[in-house]
Amino acid sequence: MLFQVAGQGSRPTFFEMAAAQQLPASLRAALAYSFGVFALRRPFFHKILDYEDEFFSLLMLVLETHSLRTTDASFAESLYGLRRKAVDLTTREEGASLESAQLKISGLRRRQKVLSVAFLVALPYLKSKMRAVYNKEREARLQASLWGGDGDAAINSSDPYVDEREALPSREQHSAGSPSSSMDLVKRRVSVLVAACYPLIHASSEGMSFAYQLLYLLDATGFYNVGLHILGVQVCRASGQELMESSSRILKIRSRERERLRGPPWFKTVQKLLLGCIYTTLDYAQTGLIAAVFFFKMMEWWYQSAEERMSAPTVFPPPPAPPPPKIAQGGIPLPSDRALCPLCSQRRANPSVLAASGFVFCYPCIFKYVSQYKRCPLTLIPASVDQIRRLFHDL
């Protein structure tokens, strides 16, 4: 499976490199979501989610190793038709062009492939673990600030169901200086050190990444990140000939591995079947994982749209206006001209409505009447001065 992005020359665009860099994160989110759904019916998958970093790193180790071995590119870069090429930095300093420096070495050295796997798998794994330790220590400090003193001790002391006899053996174990307590102390100090250093390490890493990406966008450097610069490797577009060569290289590697099989004929047959299954899995791993990413994005959009529809307030049509109250027999009759005040039989000055009945009067007239009789003059409904509302005409 290959995504071709339009562009000129062998240098990839910034968007190609950014898409290739973001693909592993999207793949991890898709796999975590899929296992989370499966865990609702099969609790066994909760164990995989508990060790999410280890399982994903192991998966990426297999994929990155296979991709670098067969295509000289990472798993994400191979999907976009990109290849890694070693750059002779000394030749560039002597004044040679970048293209000639790239052509001097056709493929990656073994050392560069091993270090590429370390930068693509081991480094993200360490960052993830450091971030988890930092978040845990930050929550512990926040808990301690809320409860006062040590977070664990404060919680235990505030819990009325914790027996003092249960807490006593743990204190004795800590004071005895056992190997487990000393190991816990070392782990605690390492966690505190990692939590203290992580913000600086994270800020430095993000700053270096931003600087290299900005320089790459401005065409001031050929290295997209600091890892490629350390390795002396640049990412280039693969030509049609290189794609054909990579396919023939894969066939040669697999035929060589089949020739190395040793043992009885039945054992060789079993080994060939296992190798065939492994090759088929690796060949369709890219397509399957990318399909998982698209499936995750589709399900995320689907459930998000469903939640928005469920949480959206239901809009009902406005109810019809209530019928006007009837004029009481002992009340003042309503004039035929609606522009006249029922009390003074003149055109209304400062029109005001009585909220108890809804009829409009002059403000001085209705204020005096309601203040004296505490009712509406037409319907005789009880009312107060607070229910008088001034009306203003729009100019």
PDB file of all heavy atoms in Angstrom, residues 22 29 46 56 149 153 163 234-235 246 252 260 303 307 316 318 377 391:
ATOM      1  N   GLN A  22       3.271  11.800  12.018  1.00  0.00           N
ATOM      2  CA  GLN A  22       2.066  11.675  12.833  1.00  0.00           C
ATOM      3  C   GLN A  22       1.380  10.325  12.694  1.00  0.00           C
ATOM      4  O   GLN A  22       0.482  10.006  13.469  1.00  0.00           O
ATOM      5  CB  GLN A  22       1.066  12.782  12.459  1.00  0.00           C
ATOM      6  CG  GLN A  22       1.531  14.178  12.782  1.00  0.00           C
ATOM      7  CD  GLN A  22       1.737  14.389  14.271  1.00  0.00           C
ATOM      8  OE1 GLN A  22       1.014  13.836  15.085  1.00  0.00           O
ATOM      9  NE2 GLN A  22       2.717  15.196  14.627  1.00  0.00           N
ATOM     10  N   ALA A  29      -3.452   5.245  18.610  1.00  0.00           N
ATOM     11  CA  ALA A  29      -4.791   5.598  19.082  1.00  0.00           C
ATOM     12  C   ALA A  29      -5.843   4.638  18.521  1.00  0.00           C
ATOM     13  O   ALA A  29      -6.778   4.245  19.226  1.00  0.00           O
ATOM     14  CB  ALA A  29      -5.121   7.034  18.686  1.00  0.00           C
ATOM     15  N   HIS A  46      -7.851  -6.231  28.719  1.00  0.00           N
ATOM     16  CA  HIS A  46      -7.434  -5.197  29.677  1.00  0.00           C
ATOM     17  C   HIS A  46      -5.953  -5.325  30.011  1.00  0.00           C
ATOM     18  O   HIS A  46      -5.282  -4.332  30.308  1.00  0.00           O
ATOM     19  CB  HIS A  46      -8.278  -5.287  30.948  1.00  0.00           C
ATOM     20  CG  HIS A  46      -9.636  -4.681  30.805  1.00  0.00           C
ATOM     21  ND1 HIS A  46      -9.832  -3.325  30.635  1.00  0.00           N
ATOM     22  CD2 HIS A  46     -10.876  -5.250  30.796  1.00  0.00           C
ATOM     23  CE1 HIS A  46     -11.126  -3.081  30.534  1.00  0.00           C
ATOM     24  NE2 HIS A  46     -11.782  -4.224  30.631  1.00  0.00           N
ATOM     25  N   PHE A  56       2.785  -1.868  22.086  1.00  0.00           N
ATOM     26  CA  PHE A  56       2.915  -1.040  20.888  1.00  0.00           C
ATOM     27  C   PHE A  56       4.379  -0.913  20.470  1.00  0.00           C
ATOM     28  O   PHE A  56       4.681  -0.925  19.264  1.00  0.00           O
ATOM     29  CB  PHE A  56       2.316   0.343  21.142  1.00  0.00           C
ATOM     30  CG  PHE A  56       2.332   1.234  19.930  1.00  0.00           C
ATOM     31  CD1 PHE A  56       1.428   1.026  18.894  1.00  0.00           C
ATOM     32  CD2 PHE A  56       3.247   2.265  19.822  1.00  0.00           C
ATOM     33  CE1 PHE A  56       1.440   1.845  17.780  1.00  0.00           C
ATOM     34  CE2 PHE A  56       3.263   3.075  18.698  1.00  0.00           C
ATOM     35  CZ  PHE A  56       2.349   2.869  17.677  1.00  0.00           C
ATOM     36  N   GLY A 149       0.890  17.373  53.932  1.00  0.00           N
ATOM     37  CA  GLY A 149       1.919  16.387  54.247  1.00  0.00           C
ATOM     38  C   GLY A 149       2.071  15.393  53.133  1.00  0.00           C
ATOM     39  O   GLY A 149       1.872  15.698  51.954  1.00  0.00           O
ATOM     40  N   ALA A 153       0.192   9.098  53.290  1.00  0.00           N
ATOM     41  CA  ALA A 153      -0.057   9.107  54.735  1.00  0.00           C
ATOM     42  C   ALA A 153      -1.311   9.887  55.072  1.00  0.00           C
ATOM     43  O   ALA A 153      -2.086   9.519  55.954  1.00  0.00           O
ATOM     44  CB  ALA A 153       1.155   9.701  55.456  1.00  0.00           C
ATOM     45  N   ASP A 163      -7.223   0.283  59.783  1.00  0.00           N
ATOM     46  CA  ASP A 163      -6.909  -0.100  61.150  1.00  0.00           C
ATOM     47  C   ASP A 163      -5.459   0.239  61.455  1.00  0.00           C
ATOM     48  O   ASP A 163      -4.574   0.078  60.615  1.00  0.00           O
ATOM     49  CB  ASP A 163      -7.135  -1.605  61.326  1.00  0.00           C
ATOM     50  CG  ASP A 163      -7.102  -2.020  62.792  1.00  0.00           C
ATOM     51  OD1 ASP A 163      -6.855  -1.131  63.639  1.00  0.00           O
ATOM     52  OD2 ASP A 163      -7.301  -3.222  63.072  1.00  0.00           O
ATOM     53  N   GLN A 234      19.142  11.445   5.271  1.00  0.00           N
ATOM     54  CA  GLN A 234      18.099  12.299   4.744  1.00  0.00           C
ATOM     55  C   GLN A 234      17.030  11.451   4.091  1.00  0.00           C
ATOM     56  O   GLN A 234      17.317  10.370   3.563  1.00  0.00           O
ATOM     57  CB  GLN A 234      18.662  13.302   3.732  1.00  0.00           C
ATOM     58  CG  GLN A 234      19.463  14.426   4.372  1.00  0.00           C
ATOM     59  CD  GLN A 234      19.850  15.494   3.388  1.00  0.00           C
ATOM     60  OE1 GLN A 234      19.637  15.339   2.191  1.00  0.00           O
ATOM     61  NE2 GLN A 234      20.426  16.575   3.881  1.00  0.00           N
ATOM     62  N   VAL A 235      15.794  11.951   4.122  1.00  0.00           N
ATOM     63  CA  VAL A 235      14.658  11.255   3.535  1.00  0.00           C
ATOM     64  C   VAL A 235      14.399  11.827   2.151  1.00  0.00           C
ATOM     65  O   VAL A 235      14.301  13.048   1.991  1.00  0.00           O
ATOM     66  CB  VAL A 235      13.408  11.392   4.424  1.00  0.00           C
ATOM     67  CG1 VAL A 235      12.229  10.655   3.816  1.00  0.00           C
ATOM     68  CG2 VAL A 235      13.698  10.861   5.824  1.00  0.00           C
ATOM     69  N   SER A 246      13.620  -2.430  -4.639  1.00  0.00           N
ATOM     70  CA  SER A 246      13.226  -2.875  -3.299  1.00  0.00           C
ATOM     71  C   SER A 246      12.383  -4.145  -3.361  1.00  0.00           C
ATOM     72  O   SER A 246      12.523  -5.043  -2.527  1.00  0.00           O
ATOM     73  CB  SER A 246      12.447  -1.766  -2.592  1.00  0.00           C
ATOM     74  OG  SER A 246      11.234  -1.490  -3.278  1.00  0.00           O
ATOM     75  N   LYS A 252      14.836 -11.563  -3.033  1.00  0.00           N
ATOM     76  CA  LYS A 252      16.149 -12.182  -2.825  1.00  0.00           C
ATOM     77  C   LYS A 252      16.360 -12.540  -1.358  1.00  0.00           C
ATOM     78  O   LYS A 252      16.880 -13.612  -1.028  1.00  0.00           O
ATOM     79  CB  LYS A 252      17.243 -11.236  -3.297  1.00  0.00           C
ATOM     80  CG  LYS A 252      17.312 -11.070  -4.808  1.00  0.00           C
ATOM     81  CD  LYS A 252      18.420 -10.102  -5.198  1.00  0.00           C
ATOM     82  CE  LYS A 252      18.472  -9.917  -6.726  1.00  0.00           C
ATOM     83  NZ  LYS A 252      19.541  -8.956  -7.116  1.00  0.00           N
ATOM     84  N   ARG A 260      18.451 -21.246   3.606  1.00  0.00           N
ATOM     85  CA  ARG A 260      19.181 -21.506   4.851  1.00  0.00           C
ATOM     86  C   ARG A 260      18.481 -22.519   5.752  1.00  0.00           C
ATOM     87  O   ARG A 260      19.014 -22.871   6.809  1.00  0.00           O
ATOM     88  CB  ARG A 260      19.368 -20.196   5.626  1.00  0.00           C
ATOM     89  CG  ARG A 260      20.305 -19.203   4.945  1.00  0.00           C
ATOM     90  CD  ARG A 260      20.364 -17.915   5.746  1.00  0.00           C
ATOM     91  NE  ARG A 260      21.222 -16.927   5.113  1.00  0.00           N
ATOM     92  CZ  ARG A 260      21.378 -15.668   5.555  1.00  0.00           C
ATOM     93  NH1 ARG A 260      20.709 -15.288   6.644  1.00  0.00           N
ATOM     94  NH2 ARG A 260      22.173 -14.841   4.916  1.00  0.00           N
ATOM     95  N   TYR A 303     -19.423   8.237  16.528  1.00  0.00           N
ATOM     96  CA  TYR A 303     -19.894   8.353  17.906  1.00  0.00           C
ATOM     97  C   TYR A 303     -19.947   9.804  18.355  1.00  0.00           C
ATOM     98  O   TYR A 303     -20.801  10.185  19.158  1.00  0.00           O
ATOM     99  CB  TYR A 303     -19.002   7.533  18.826  1.00  0.00           C
ATOM    100  CG  TYR A 303     -19.283   6.050  18.761  1.00  0.00           C
ATOM    101  CD1 TYR A 303     -18.365   5.177  18.195  1.00  0.00           C
ATOM    102  CD2 TYR A 303     -20.475   5.527  19.244  1.00  0.00           C
ATOM    103  CE1 TYR A 303     -18.634   3.818  18.112  1.00  0.00           C
ATOM    104  CE2 TYR A 303     -20.752   4.178  19.168  1.00  0.00           C
ATOM    105  CZ  TYR A 303     -19.823   3.321  18.605  1.00  0.00           C
ATOM    106  OH  TYR A 303     -20.086   1.984  18.520  1.00  0.00           O
ATOM    107  N   GLU A 307     -23.285  11.506  19.766  1.00  0.00           N
ATOM    108  CA  GLU A 307     -23.352  12.192  21.058  1.00  0.00           C
ATOM    109  C   GLU A 307     -23.849  13.623  20.899  1.00  0.00           C
ATOM    110  O   GLU A 307     -24.599  14.120  21.737  1.00  0.00           O
ATOM    111  CB  GLU A 307     -21.968  12.175  21.706  1.00  0.00           C
ATOM    112  CG  GLU A 307     -21.534  10.787  22.169  1.00  0.00           C
ATOM    113  CD  GLU A 307     -20.134  10.803  22.746  1.00  0.00           C
ATOM    114  OE1 GLU A 307     -19.524  11.891  22.743  1.00  0.00           O
ATOM    115  OE2 GLU A 307     -19.659   9.744  23.181  1.00  0.00           O
ATOM    116  N   PHE A 316     -38.806  22.747  20.248  1.00  0.00           N
ATOM    117  CA  PHE A 316     -40.235  22.590  20.046  1.00  0.00           C
ATOM    118  C   PHE A 316     -40.812  23.882  19.473  1.00  0.00           C
ATOM    119  O   PHE A 316     -40.277  24.981  19.719  1.00  0.00           O
ATOM    120  CB  PHE A 316     -40.938  22.255  21.365  1.00  0.00           C
ATOM    121  CG  PHE A 316     -40.515  20.934  21.952  1.00  0.00           C
ATOM    122  CD1 PHE A 316     -39.570  20.877  22.968  1.00  0.00           C
ATOM    123  CD2 PHE A 316     -41.051  19.747  21.479  1.00  0.00           C
ATOM    124  CE1 PHE A 316     -39.181  19.665  23.512  1.00  0.00           C
ATOM    125  CE2 PHE A 316     -40.676  18.527  22.011  1.00  0.00           C
ATOM    126  CZ  PHE A 316     -39.731  18.490  23.023  1.00  0.00           C
ATOM    127  N   PRO A 318     -43.146  27.155  19.227  1.00  0.00           N
ATOM    128  CA  PRO A 318     -43.685  27.979  20.324  1.00  0.00           C
ATOM    129  C   PRO A 318     -45.154  27.687  20.543  1.00  0.00           C
ATOM    130  O   PRO A 318     -45.910  27.449  19.584  1.00  0.00           O
ATOM    131  CB  PRO A 318     -43.470  29.421  19.811  1.00  0.00           C
ATOM    132  CG  PRO A 318     -43.353  29.288  18.324  1.00  0.00           C
ATOM    133  CD  PRO A 318     -42.725  27.961  18.072  1.00  0.00           C
ATOM    134  N   PRO A 377     -58.749  46.991  36.446  1.00  0.00           N
ATOM    135  CA  PRO A 377     -60.053  47.668  36.317  1.00  0.00           C
ATOM    136  C   PRO A 377     -61.001  46.979  35.342  1.00  0.00           C
ATOM    137  O   PRO A 377     -62.217  47.217  35.406  1.00  0.00           O
ATOM    138  CB  PRO A 377     -59.682  49.069  35.825  1.00  0.00           C
ATOM    139  CG  PRO A 377     -58.354  48.906  35.175  1.00  0.00           C
ATOM    140  CD  PRO A 377     -57.655  47.816  35.919  1.00  0.00           C
ATOM    141  N   LEU A 391     -44.173  50.180  28.323  1.00  0.00           N
ATOM    142  CA  LEU A 391     -44.005  49.775  26.933  1.00  0.00           C
ATOM    143  C   LEU A 391     -43.336  50.885  26.165  1.00  0.00           C
ATOM    144  O   LEU A 391     -43.690  52.068  26.325  1.00  0.00           O
ATOM    145  CB  LEU A 391     -45.357  49.436  26.298  1.00  0.00           C
ATOM    146  CG  LEU A 391     -46.164  48.295  26.950  1.00  0.00           C
ATOM    147  CD1 LEU A 391     -47.487  48.095  26.225  1.00  0.00           C
ATOM    148  CD2 LEU A 391     -45.371  47.010  26.947  1.00  0.00           C
TER     149      LEU A 391
END
